[in-house]
Amino acid sequence: MNTLKVSEPQKKKITFLLGAGAALPWGGPMTNDLTNLIISDDYFKITNSSKETLGKYLYDRLCGFYEANKDEINFETILGFLESLIEYYTAANATNASPLNYCSWPSITTVDESFVKDIFNYKLAYSSDNNDPEDIQYWYIPGDSENGPIPYTKNQIKSKFLIEVFKHFTNIIIQEILKYSNTPVVESKKAESEALKDFINNLTVKGFLFRFYSTNYDRLIPMILEDSTDVFEGFTADHDNTLRIDIDKIHSDKNSLVHYNIHGSVHWESLYNGLFPDYQLLKNTLPYNPFHENHQVEIGKRVIITNIIAGQDKTQKMFIPPFKYFEHAFLDDCFSSDFIMITGNSLSDFNIQKVLSLALSIGNKKLVIIDHDPNQNISKVLNALRKIDPKDKYSTYDTDKNGGWYCNGNKNCFVYLDGFKEFLVSNAWEKTDILF
C-alpha cells in the first residue's frame, strides 16, 4: 500500500536588508558619526602652519569640488578619493608596463602641484600621542633632489603611504563597529534584543522564513540569537575548527535562517591563499590580520580589498569572492521572497539598487521600509524608493497613516518612520496587515 506524503506548507520568505539605522538600537554609529571621526582624526596631518588633519584636508578639497552637493560627502567619499590617489600613484609606477594590469587614465593626468605639496611635502606630520597634539613625528617621503631616488621609487613610496592612510581610516571604522558589535552590548540592551527575538520567533511559528543581509559590518543578529536559534553566517568549521567560507551551503541552503554580511565584517580574519582574499569568521576573538593589499579586479583596474568593503568601488569589489557569493544569494532570495524588508538603509549603493530593482520588477512582493524620521517626512524615503522602483509599482503614496504606517495605493509597500527600535519594542509589525 502506498502512503501519500503530505508536503509541508511553503513558508513565506522575508528577506531583510539591514543598514546603519538597524544598528542604532544597540548603539551603532550613523554615517555622519564615522565621517566626523575621520575628519577629526589627527594621526596624519599636512605640514603647513595649521597642522590640519589629513581627513579634514581631503574632505575640504572634496567640498570645494562638489560644492553644490557637499552634503553628500561622507567617509566613503573620502575613502574613494584615497583609492583614486592610490590608483594614480600605483599606475604612475607602471611606465612601460602592460595596460592589462594598470589603469590608463593617470597617463594623461597630472595631480595639482599644490595638492601634492600639501599631502606629501616630502615629510608628512602625524601625532604619536593623542594626549599631546604638539608631539609631532614625521613620515619622510623622498623629494625631487638630484640625489633622491628615481621617480619609480618615489611614486611607489607615495602609493604605499596612501595605502597606510586608507588602512588607518578603515581601522577607525572597524573600531567603532566593534564598540557595539559585542556580547556585553547585546546583553546590556536587553529590551531591544528580546524584542528582536520575539519578532523572529513569533513569525517563525506562523510559517515565516527569515533571510538577513547586512551592509553593516557587525554580527548583531547572530549574537542576539546565539542562545536560542541557529544562524548560518556563510562559514562552516573545518577539520581544525577554523570557520571558513562554505560556498556549497551558501549556494544550496535555501531554508535556514541566515545572516550574510554583503560588504564584509569586522569579525572576519584574512587568510592568504595567493589568488583571492579568503577569510575565517572569528566569533570569540578579534581579527589580528584584517587587511589585504591591491587586487586586480578586471583589465586595467586594481582595488584595495580589506575585510570590509567601504569607499566607492563596491560594485567592482563585489565580484571578488567571498563577497560575490553573498550578493548572488541576496539576489536569489530577493527574487523568491514574499516580503522584502529594508531597515535603516539609504539605498545609495549601486549594487544594492540593481538587485532590488530587478527583484521588484517581477512578481507580487510586498516591500516594507523601516526608517527613522522624527518629522515623519516621507519624501526622503520616496526618493530612495524611486531608485529601485522601475515600474512605479511601489513609490506612489497617500499621506494618511494607518496604525503608525504609511501605505501606498497598491497596498504593496508600507513605510514606518518611528525607527527600528520602536518597530520592535512596540510590536508595530502586528498593527497592520502587512504580513498577513
Side-chain angles (χ1 to χ4, degrees):
M1 178 178 176
N2 294 328
T3 303
L4 180 65
K5 285 188 176 182
V6 179
S7 60
E8 294 184 6
Q10 183 71 33
K11 291 184 177 181
K12 295 179 180 179
K13 182 186 289 187
I14 301 177
T15 294
F16 251 98
L17 174 64
L18 307 174
L24 285 178
W26 290 269
M30 293 297 289
T31 298
N32 285 343
D33 299 326
L34 297 176
T35 303
N36 290 332
L37 283 171
I38 286 180
I39 290 173
S40 62
D41 179 74
D42 63 357
Y43 187 77
F44 292 112
K45 299 180 180 181
I46 62 171
T47 53
N48 61 23
S49 58
S50 70
K51 296 178 182 176
E52 187 177 33
T53 69
L54 182 55
K56 186 176 187 306
Y57 179 84
L58 296 174
Y59 176 80
D60 288 344
R61 291 291 294 229
L62 287 165
C63 286
F65 186 75
Y66 298 106
E67 183 176 358
N69 299 290
K70 60 185 179 181
D71 290 342
E72 298 178 11
I73 298 170
N74 55 42
F75 77 93
E76 299 215 68
T77 325
I78 296 172
L79 290 175
F81 189 12
L82 278 169
E83 285 188 283
S84 294
L85 290 171
I86 291 166
E87 186 173 40
Y88 175 87
Y89 285 107
T90 300
N93 295 336
T95 303
N96 297 323
S98 171
L100 299 179
N101 299 325
Y102 297 93
C103 64
S104 57
W105 66 263
S107 66
I108 57 171
T109 306
T110 300
V111 174
D112 180 88
E113 184 177 341
S114 65
F115 179 77
V116 175
K117 183 177 180 180
D118 287 339
I119 289 291
F120 300 111
N121 204 19
Y122 307 117
K123 63 176 183 179
L124 191 138
Y126 65 93
S127 173
S128 60
D129 185 352
N130 289 332
N131 296 319
D132 183 8
E134 299 305 316
D135 178 21
I136 302 298
Q137 307 294 324
Y138 293 97
W139 187 320
Y140 283 92
I141 298 175
D144 289 317
S145 69
E146 293 181 0
N147 297 323
I150 60 174
Y152 175 92
T153 306
K154 287 188 297 183
N155 288 327
Q156 186 178 50
I157 292 173
K158 290 175 183 177
S159 177
K160 287 184 177 298
F161 165 74
L162 290 168
I163 289 174
E164 291 303 315
V165 176
F166 184 90
K167 288 180 177 180
H168 177 69
F169 285 169
T170 302
N171 192 51
I172 290 174
I173 298 166
I174 289 173
Q175 295 307 313
E176 283 302 298
I177 304 302
L178 288 171
K179 286 181 180 179
Y180 76 87
S181 184
N182 59 69
T183 302
V185 167
V186 168
E187 292 176 348
S188 70
K189 299 286 186 177
K190 187 171 182 180
E192 294 86 347
S193 298
E194 290 300 320
L196 177 64
K197 286 196 283 189
D198 288 344
F199 169 60
I200 294 173
N201 291 338
N202 270 283
L203 291 185
T204 299
V205 169
K206 291 179 171 64
F208 287 82
L209 170 66
F210 284 88
R211 310 280 284 186
F212 287 98
Y213 293 83
S214 180
T215 58
N216 299 332
Y217 312 120
D218 58 51
R219 292 188 61 242
L220 274 179
I221 301 296
M223 286 178 177
I224 292 168
L225 300 180
E226 190 170 27
D227 296 330
S228 59
T229 308
D230 289 331
V231 181
F232 178 58
E233 299 177 67
F235 296 77
T236 300
D238 64 9
H239 62 281
D240 63 357
N241 290 322
T242 300
L243 290 167
R244 294 178 179 268
I245 290 286
D246 189 336
I247 303 172
D248 288 342
K249 188 169 182 178
I250 294 170
H251 176 69
S252 62
D253 188 341
K254 310 298 183 183
N255 299 306
S256 294
L257 194 161
V258 303
H259 177 271
Y260 294 150
N261 291 99
I262 302 177
H263 293 159
S265 170
V266 299
H267 299 279
W268 291 4
E269 169 87 357
S270 298
L271 295 171
Y272 292 95
N273 64 4
L275 182 59
F276 291 118
D278 194 10
Y279 300 92
Q280 63 174 316
L281 174 65
L282 300 179
K283 291 185 176 181
N284 302 314
T285 58
L286 298 181
Y288 173 74
N289 180 36
F291 297 113
H292 281 282
E293 302 298 330
N294 283 12
H295 282 268
Q296 185 158 354
V297 292
E298 59 179 316
I299 291 176
K301 180 66 177 178
R302 304 177 72 85
V303 296
I304 300 176
I305 301 294
T306 73
N307 57 337
I308 65 173
I309 291 182
Q312 296 180 309
D313 284 327
K314 290 192 181 77
T315 301
Q316 289 178 313
K317 292 176 181 179
M318 291 300 296
F319 280 95
I320 295 179
F323 306 102
K324 72 174 185 178
Y325 307 142
F326 296 129
E327 186 177 53
H328 182 272
F330 179 52
L331 176 62
D332 188 51
D333 275 331
C334 284
F335 269 120
S336 59
S337 283
D338 301 282
F339 305 90
I340 297 176
M341 303 187 77
I342 301 171
T343 305
N345 194 295
S346 64
L347 302 177
S348 58
D349 293 321
F350 183 78
N351 62 306
I352 298 295
Q353 292 176 18
K354 196 63 177 176
V355 167
L356 293 173
S357 180
L358 286 170
L360 294 175
S361 66
I362 60 173
N364 297 306
K365 302 171 180 62
K366 287 186 178 180
L367 181 63
V368 182
I369 311 289
I370 304 166
D371 211 329
H372 183 257
D373 189 327
N375 299 319
Q376 296 291 298
N377 182 1
I378 198 173
S379 61
K380 182 180 176 182
V381 172
L382 294 184
N383 288 335
L385 266 175
R386 293 185 183 105
K387 299 175 184 176
I388 62 171
D389 186 13
K391 297 182 180 179
D392 296 324
K393 293 168 60 178
Y394 296 92
S395 54
T396 303
Y397 269 78
D398 301 326
T399 56
D400 295 334
K401 289 179 68 176
N402 179 18
W405 291 85
Y406 295 92
C407 178
N408 69 344
N410 294 328
K411 303 296 183 183
N412 61 0
C413 186
F414 301 82
V415 177
Y416 184 81
L417 293 179
D418 291 330
F420 193 39
K421 177 179 178 178
E422 189 66 21
F423 169 83
L424 294 172
V425 299
S426 69
N427 293 346
W429 47 277
E430 291 182 332
K431 299 173 184 177
T432 182
D433 60 354
I434 301 172
L435 301 174
F436 306 103

